[in-house]
Amino acid sequence: MQLVDTHCHIDLDAFDDDREAALDRARHAGVEHMLVIGFEPERWKAALELQGRVPGIAVAAGLHPNSASQFSDEMLDEIATVAKRPEVIAIGETGVDCYWDNAPLELQKQAFAAQIDLARQLDMPFIIHQRDAEKEVLDVLRQFSGTHRGVLHCFTGDWHYAQEVLDLGLYIGLGGAITFKSRTDLHEAAAKIPLERIVLETDSPFMAPVPHRGKRNEPAYVARVAERLAELRDAPLLEVADTTTCNASQLFPGLIDNEQANL
Ligand SMILES: [Zn+2]
């Protein structure tokens, strides 16, 4: 079984003590490809360093909404410069976060729109972070014409919201939240979203799935997400694994076919 972790932060210091062991466990679980999300300039560097020495890793670079107070024209130029490196295959994560509320909403929306614009100019997919900001995220996405090429990561909404996201052409990233027992509205959505539009992720070290909930998450646990999704859909695990892996390679050219990223 081959799985892809389309969203992880294994560059963070939560993995400093056992990063190699965690990567080994991932490979044993069938997770040979991971997208490491650099969410601010310091993290781009760390993710690229990791990419340079670990096979199977690709990098996304962007400015997280919780860091949007750093946003400026110069910052946008920096994102554009790093995004043009061949190892960087997506822009993000960007979006809106009204939960932590670390930056003014208007600045978050401005930084989000600018990064979508950049992704379009560079013909790259982008990764959306949304927390307590369902409407705000849709508002920004709808400022643009046509459909989008990207993913709403760590989806925690209901079926109604999923449909709005799908209508905009986006993929939906499912992670540990679908294993939480109380989230029956999310379970319903996970069962109804067309499998062709789902990618799997861990968001490691955050959002660990049951039975690791509350502890550190790691890429190997994407297998738990796949198992739970198969249960919720009453579908064979292998079908869920194969289809979501195929989706990940379609959404993120260069993630699985690494040669392509190095052209
Ligand atoms: Zn993330």
Side-chain angles (χ1 to χ4, degrees):
M1 182 171 75
Q2 203 198 351
L3 292 165
V4 180
D5 187 352
T6 60
H7 194 115
C8 64
H9 300 281
I10 48 168
D11 56 301
L12 290 178
D13 55 12
F15 289 100
D16 279 357
D17 289 339
D18 68 340
R19 185 169 292 108
E20 305 307 322
L23 288 164
D24 266 354
R25 286 192 292 271
R27 286 183 204 110
H28 279 110
V31 187
E32 289 186 19
H33 298 281
M34 294 160 232
L35 185 55
V36 177
I37 315 295
F39 54 77
E40 57 184 16
E42 198 190 329
R43 304 324 315 168
W44 309 341
K45 260 194 241 164
L48 285 165
E49 188 275 325
L50 207 56
Q51 194 279 339
R53 61 184 181 81
V54 179
I57 286 185
V59 174
L63 189 70
H64 196 286
N66 290 342
S67 303
S69 51
Q70 298 175 38
F71 186 72
S72 62
D73 287 346
E74 292 72 34
M75 173 60 76
L76 188 61
D77 287 345
E78 281 186 49
I79 301 171
T81 301
V82 74
K84 286 174 188 160
R85 294 179 57 137
E87 313 92 309
V88 177
I89 63 164
I91 303 281
E93 52 194 293
T94 176
V96 184
D97 190 319
C98 295
Y99 177 82
W100 291 108
D101 201 21
N102 281 355
L105 177 61
E106 278 316 306
L107 194 56
Q108 291 191 41
K109 288 167 98 172
Q110 195 193 331
F112 181 25
Q115 289 176 82
I116 297 173
D117 206 39
L118 177 65
R120 288 187 166 210
Q121 283 173 39
L122 299 178
D123 194 22
M124 291 170 79
F126 62 95
I127 298 153
I128 306 165
H129 167 103
Q130 180 278 122
R131 191 158 179 194
D132 285 1
E134 288 193 344
K135 181 185 173 299
E136 289 78 1
V137 160
L138 292 180
D139 285 349
V140 174
L141 289 165
R142 287 177 179 148
Q143 290 170 16
F144 292 82
S145 63
T147 55
H148 290 282
R149 180 171 167 222
V151 59
L152 179 64
H153 113 87
C154 192
F155 184 81
T156 54
D158 61 13
W159 171 232
H160 175 75
Y161 192 60
Q163 286 171 285
E164 306 223 51
V165 173
L166 292 167
D167 283 348
L168 287 163
L170 296 161
Y171 284 77
I172 291 183
L174 296 178
I178 66 164
T179 69
F180 302 166
K181 216 172 176 179
S182 60
R183 294 301 317 272
T184 50
D185 54 341
L186 174 58
H187 297 164
E188 184 200 355
K192 285 185 176 170
I193 298 165
L195 192 56
E196 291 66 34
R197 303 288 290 280
I198 295 175
V199 292
L200 304 183
E201 61 169 67
T202 60
D203 206 14
S204 307
F206 314 108
M207 290 295 281
V210 173
H212 310 285
R213 191 174 181 182
K215 303 201 187 102
R216 187 191 70 176
N217 199 0
E218 61 176 65
Y221 298 165
V222 79
R224 269 305 299 143
V225 178
E227 285 160 18
R228 185 66 183 123
L229 185 59
E231 270 171 29
L232 289 167
R233 302 178 73 92
D234 201 12
L237 176 58
L238 201 60
E239 184 194 341
V240 166
D242 285 351
T243 307
T244 55
T245 296
C246 176
N247 300 341
S249 80
Q250 271 175 4
L251 173 60
F252 298 117
L255 175 56
I256 292 179
D257 180 3
N258 281 18
E259 285 74 22
Q260 200 175 337
N262 293 328
L263 279 181

